[in-house]
């Protein structure tokens, strides 16, 4: 069994962004929040810009980063069953 890390899609307020980093185990219906970041909108945008800048610099030096996994969906909680 391989654990995957996902970011939970959260609702954002005018004053904060909440990013939950989730540890998801295949076949386990309940995921566990491994880390939570609460950011102001300004800091969230600064983090995004810093990541974009650093990824661009990395790719300029080492080539494009290849996504080795299939798209990991944003975790939205357990799925309802009928």
């Amino acid at each position: 069994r391989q654990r995957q890390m996902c970011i939970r899609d959260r609702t954002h307020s005018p004053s904060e962004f909440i990013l939950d980093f989730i540890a998801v185990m295949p076949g386990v219906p309940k995921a566990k929040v491994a880390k939570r970041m609460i950011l102001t909108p300004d800091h969230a945008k600064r983090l995004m810009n810093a990541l974009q800048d650093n990824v661009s610099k990395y790719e300029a030096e080492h080539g494009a980063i290849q996504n080795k996994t299939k798209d990991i969906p944003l975790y939205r909680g357990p799925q309802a069953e009928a």
Side-chain angles (χ1 to χ4, degrees):
R1 295 177 117 177
Q2 186 167 349
R3 182 173 75 163
Q4 295 180 334
M5 293 299 288
C6 301
I7 299 175
R8 184 188 311 206
D9 186 18
R10 296 294 302 230
T11 301
H12 305 103
S13 75
S15 62
E16 64 186 23
F17 276 68
I18 300 173
L19 301 176
D20 284 346
F21 294 84
I22 308 294
V24 180
M25 292 291 292
V28 178
K30 189 166 183 148
K32 185 175 182 179
V33 174
K35 296 288 178 190
R36 173 174 283 165
M37 290 177 64
I38 301 173
L39 305 165
T40 64
D42 176 61
H43 282 109
K45 189 155 190 176
R46 289 168 57 191
L47 174 62
M48 179 191 71
N49 289 335
L51 287 170
Q52 286 177 331
D53 183 52
N54 280 284
V55 168
S56 294
K57 289 176 182 175
Y58 177 91
E59 289 184 327
E61 186 174 334
H62 302 285
I65 298 170
Q66 300 299 316
N67 191 359
K68 294 180 183 177
T69 60
K70 295 183 179 176
D71 289 334
I72 299 172
L74 293 174
Y75 183 75
R76 299 181 191 276
Q79 301 298 313
E81 295 182 17

